[in-house]
Amino acid sequence: MSRDRVAVEQRKTKETEIIASVNLDGKGRSEITTGIGFFNHMLDQIARHGNIDLELSVKGDLQIDQHHTVEDTGIALGKAFARAIGDKKGISRFSSALVPLDETLVRAVVDISGRPYLYTDLPFTREMVGDFPAEMVVEFMRAFVFNAGITLHLEILHGENCHHQIEAVFKALARALKEAVKIESDEIPSTKGVL
């Protein structure tokens, strides 16, 4: 690897204070503190199954609810990802992953295109997993995708346990990102010559 694909993004608002550090050529190490236990666990899936070293320090207005913390984490992580990927020279660009977790099966399809788009078909079976609202999954994904500049399609093909559904979504994203960021050549993977 001739270049470092590492980036740090800092975001401070009246609602959150975040430092996000990403190494796309890492070993899957993570140090994550968001104040939301289940969310920490899901973000750890991105690191572990994506071989992305990830450090996230998040302080948010959890006394209100989890929305600002989850969304702003997606924004900061997406911006760090975009900076780390750089000009996209040589990356695989496209990838997909099918991830089972017991009775659940999730598909994630990624295009690191520079054109953000999110499609979801995520019929979660419950509104909450512990104290984590399932609807926050889509909020995180939207914030991440639009700030990372990627196209992402996420579908739960089947499953009944909401914890399994959400965890498989994050694992599928991680596996798809892992393949899409792989360096395969020294060319920009586009007929336009730019992404």
Side-chain angles (χ1 to χ4, degrees):
M1 182 66 54
S2 60
R3 61 187 174 178
D4 290 330
R5 299 194 300 168
V6 177
V8 177
E9 177 69 24
Q10 296 187 37
R11 177 179 174 82
K12 186 172 183 177
T13 72
K14 291 181 180 179
E15 299 163 341
T16 60
E17 187 173 340
I18 300 172
I19 301 172
S21 173
V22 173
N23 178 356
L24 297 180
D25 302 302
K27 304 284 186 194
R29 298 185 188 105
S30 69
E31 189 173 321
I32 299 166
T33 56
T34 67
I36 307 167
F38 185 75
F39 190 40
N40 293 347
H41 181 48
M42 294 305 103
L43 293 168
D44 185 57
Q45 304 308 314
I46 294 174
R48 299 291 170 104
H49 295 281
N51 279 8
I52 297 169
D53 289 349
L54 183 57
E55 291 181 31
L56 278 164
S57 172
V58 183
K59 295 176 185 171
D61 57 358
L62 294 177
Q63 75 280 5
I64 295 174
D65 70 6
Q66 299 178 359
H67 187 279
H68 300 141
T69 298
V70 172
E71 182 179 41
D72 286 8
T73 298
I75 291 169
L77 186 57
K79 287 182 177 183
F81 181 91
R83 188 173 295 127
I85 201 80
D87 66 4
K88 305 175 188 77
K89 189 174 182 182
I91 64 167
S92 177
R93 178 181 168 181
F94 300 101
S95 67
S96 62
L98 281 170
V99 171
L101 183 54
D102 298 347
E103 85 298 345
T104 296
L105 182 63
V106 170
R107 175 171 43 219
V109 182
V110 167
D111 177 9
I112 302 178
S113 61
R115 294 183 309 277
Y117 186 83
L118 177 65
Y119 170 83
T120 60
D121 185 5
L122 303 175
F124 295 122
T125 55
R126 285 189 308 181
E127 289 184 13
M128 304 287 288
V129 174
D131 63 353
F132 185 81
E135 69 182 5
M136 288 296 99
V137 174
V138 174
E139 294 302 321
F140 168 80
M141 294 298 173
R142 184 181 298 112
F144 173 72
V145 160
F146 277 83
N147 287 276
I150 68 175
T151 293
L152 174 62
H153 292 246
L154 287 169
E155 299 165 280
I156 296 173
L157 302 179
H158 51 262
E160 297 173 3
N161 180 298
C162 194
H163 184 128
H164 293 169
Q165 291 173 325
I166 294 172
E167 188 166 341
V169 164
F170 277 83
K171 286 179 176 177
L173 171 64
R175 296 296 296 187
L177 288 176
K178 178 181 177 180
E179 295 303 313
V181 302
K182 276 187 179 175
I183 301 295
E184 295 186 331
S185 71
D186 59 358
E187 302 290 325
I188 299 287
S190 171
T191 55
K192 296 180 178 114
V194 65
L195 285 173

